[in-house]
Amino acid sequence: MTDSNAQGVLVVGEIEHGAPSAATLELLAAGRALLRKLPGEHLSAVLAGERAADAAARAIAAGVDIVYTIEADADVASHPDALVAAGLEAAKAASPRIVLGPRTVLGREVLPRLAFRLGTALAQDCTALDLDDQRRLTVTRPIYGGAIQATVTCLSTPSVAAVRPKAYDAEVADSGRAGTVVPLTLDLASTVRARLVERVTRPVEGKRLEDARVIVSGGRGLGGPEPFKKLEELAGLLHGTVGASRAAVDAGWVPAAMQVGLTGKTVTPDVYIAVGISGASQHMAGCGSAKTIVAINKDPNATIFKHAHYGVAGDWQKVLPAFMDQLHELLR
Amino acid sequence: MPLHIVVLAKQVTDSEAPASAYSVDATGKRVVLQGSVPFIVNGFDENAVEAALRIKDAAPDRRITVVSAGTEFALDVVKKPVAMGAEALVLLQDGAFQNTIDPLFTVRALAAAIHKLGQVDLVLAGRQASDWDNSQVPLGVAETLGWPVIHVTQRVDVSGATVRAHRVLPDGHEVVEAPLPAVVTVSNELGSPRYPNMRGIMASKRVQPTVWTAADLGVSRPAPALELAAAALPKRTVETELIKGDDDADAGRKLAMRLREARLL
Ligand SMILES: Cc1cc2nc3c(=O)[nH]c(=O)nc-3n(C[C@H](O)[C@H](O)[C@H](O)COP(=O)(O)OP(=O)(O)OC[C@H]3O[C@@H](n4cnc5c(N)ncnc54)[C@H](O)[C@@H]3O)c2cc1C
């Protein structure tokens, strides 16, 4: 599908409490950065859900020129089917050169499907976006679990990309900015085919991994669920929280909500302490942006030592208790 | 007609290969795996096979066909889902089915194969493949067929003409229902795939895969959407300060002192 009249960037956003979500605001900044190379072209966004008009005003302050809004119950708009339909409707109205969305729980389903509906395929999990000299979207993204860094050129119009949350910083809002709101009429409820029956969530105990300044993570090397209590204790001492590798989750030692990595949570603490974790690229994909990584691993050749700023090559059963005793003393 | 499940399964290089096994060839565009990295069935696709088998456990007359697309196959690898308990294996094998970052041709071929199989009620697949981590082929198949989809699930049940699946959330799950035929992708939270037993392995030896080419499927290559412009090993700039001590406990104490001194804790 090529369209020579296509222009501008369309962001498929998400609404949270009547405002664009944090990940959406990041993408608006990413869109503006691309538009610096496309003078005269517009940034548009589609916002579907509850209080879409409120969210639109915030989006304009964040730099959007045209916001397409679709008012709908939050429950309806939480269906990927609804957001795919909303994105498609906005793409028809905007005929964008580029479509962007955040790779969130919703976005990871919505964006590939939207790309296929637009006759193309998605540039997945992008950490950086740019335009080449032919104004084609080129993205940076990890492949093979992060073992390889790829540059991918998008050949179609529109080009569609899913951007990893936290890859871009949101810009400061300017409530004086002007923009246009275009309400779209679309019955989102009628687009839902995979229907939500029930949402079962467990409140997170303590600090969320995404917000923690200190994270203590355990892997297969811990050998069972019991040692995670020790990690809890350490995390408590440091006002942090506990994470895990997928191996620990798959073994059933800890709940999946604790998984850090490519298919788990992306975390950006000041200090990430990895205990009995080998440092597979899929794990590092989720914690590689921590400011300081500390590793305790009995294998001096473990990959984690290629990522860690500080490390002890030793048995955690000996290292950790002494480490904690000493910390107790130092923090007293 | 009893329920017919198709599982999409991709042959990939072992995802447990260490980062040091990866390199990029002289063109700067091709990823090369050094040493003897074996082929495996993509891990999440094995979870999808397990999901299919659990659905079959509930009513043994249900059938499972595994479909895989590629240029070349290691038969003992792609037969593993059959050894686990699937009935049939269809290989979409053609030099044209190159494993590239652009999923469009694969999507088209798989959708055509599902069509050619006749009655298919449910398509299961892993949430993503461990080579490109693209996480879009099953979604593309759903869009091409016009079927509803439930993405990234940890439990899949079928009753009557409805599939009910638990979609993974960061802090729990959603129970989602869709009418059949539908596509559902599966994540590792479903639980470990079963090991093939002796009977399964023997049975799989007798199963001959059906092989279809692009011509058999009547598919041609679509205009490309994505191109791998460059590949590189990620740059590492980290200097690791290894803390040594008289023994492990001493090293632990010194680590605490060092991190405190650096004002990190
Ligand atoms: C598509 C895909 C997505 C994935 N997503 C994720 C993800 O999101 N998150 C994730 O974590 N993984 C993910 N993985 C899995 C990943 O590839 C690794 O398998 C996993 O991270 C390994 O976990 P681990 O480091 O705990 O286990 P292992 O690799 O087994 O490492 C255990 C480590 O513990 C050390 N050890 C053992 N005993 C001791 C001791 N007594 N004292 C000190 N050290 C000890 C060992 O030396 C070893 O280095 C994914 C894989 C794929 C294919």
Side-chain angles (χ1 to χ4, degrees), chain A residues 78-332:
Chain A
S78 75
H79 284 84
D81 289 340
L83 230 53
V84 172
L88 199 61
E89 196 69 10
K92 269 191 221 149
S95 34
R97 178 196 292 282
I98 292 166
V99 178
L100 304 178
R103 196 209 53 158
T104 51
V105 169
L106 256 181
R108 72 186 177 199
E109 173 173 343
V110 169
L111 292 155
R113 291 179 57 193
L114 184 57
F116 288 113
R117 293 263 190 112
L118 292 168
T120 185
L122 177 76
Q124 181 66 282
D125 198 13
C126 307
T127 54
L129 309 171
D130 200 358
L131 295 174
D132 69 5
D133 47 13
Q134 296 170 59
R135 293 174 150 196
R136 296 181 305 188
L137 181 66
T138 56
V139 309
T140 308
R141 58 159 302 205
I143 54 175
Y144 289 92
I148 298 281
Q149 191 74 10
T151 308
V152 179
T153 309
C154 300
L155 305 172
S156 66
T157 307
S159 298
V160 188
V163 181
R164 183 180 285 201
K166 295 188 179 150
Y168 281 82
D169 289 324
E171 282 175 14
V172 182
D174 171 4
S175 53
R177 279 193 84 264
T180 315
V181 179
V182 181
L184 298 176
T185 41
L186 182 67
D187 175 17
L188 286 187
S190 71
T191 66
V192 171
R193 291 195 296 166
R195 194 178 54 85
L196 175 65
V197 178
E198 182 189 9
R199 188 173 288 131
V200 184
T201 56
R202 277 172 250 91
V204 195
E205 288 165 40
K207 225 174 253 128
R208 295 191 333 143
L209 276 168
E210 293 92 323
D211 304 329
R213 300 317 330 152
V214 177
I215 294 174
V216 186
S217 268
R220 179 152 31 215
L222 290 192
E226 202 58 25
F228 274 88
K229 297 215 178 98
K230 203 93 193 128
L231 300 195
E232 294 282 355
E233 201 185 310
L234 175 56
L237 196 61
L238 301 170
H239 307 289
T241 193
V242 178
S245 74
R246 180 174 144 186
V249 171
D250 280 350
W253 301 342
V254 290
M258 280 169 63
Q259 183 180 319
V260 170
L262 185 68
T263 49
K265 297 206 160 104
T266 305
V267 299
T268 50
D270 293 333
V271 181
Y272 188 83
I273 305 179
V275 186
I277 291 179
S278 63
S281 47
Q282 293 92 347
H283 184 78
M284 300 319 293
C287 64
S289 306
K291 286 208 189 87
T292 302
I293 297 175
V294 180
I296 299 172
N297 193 305
K298 72 173 181 192
D299 174 7
N301 297 318
T303 315
I304 190 81
F305 290 123
K306 294 201 165 65
H307 300 268
H309 303 81
Y310 299 91
V312 170
D315 186 340
W316 68 265
Q317 303 193 53
K318 307 237 168 57
V319 179
L320 206 59
F323 175 71
M324 287 169 66
D325 284 348
Q326 187 70 45
L327 261 188
H328 261 297
E329 206 133 299
L330 290 167
L331 294 173
R332 214 174 28 206

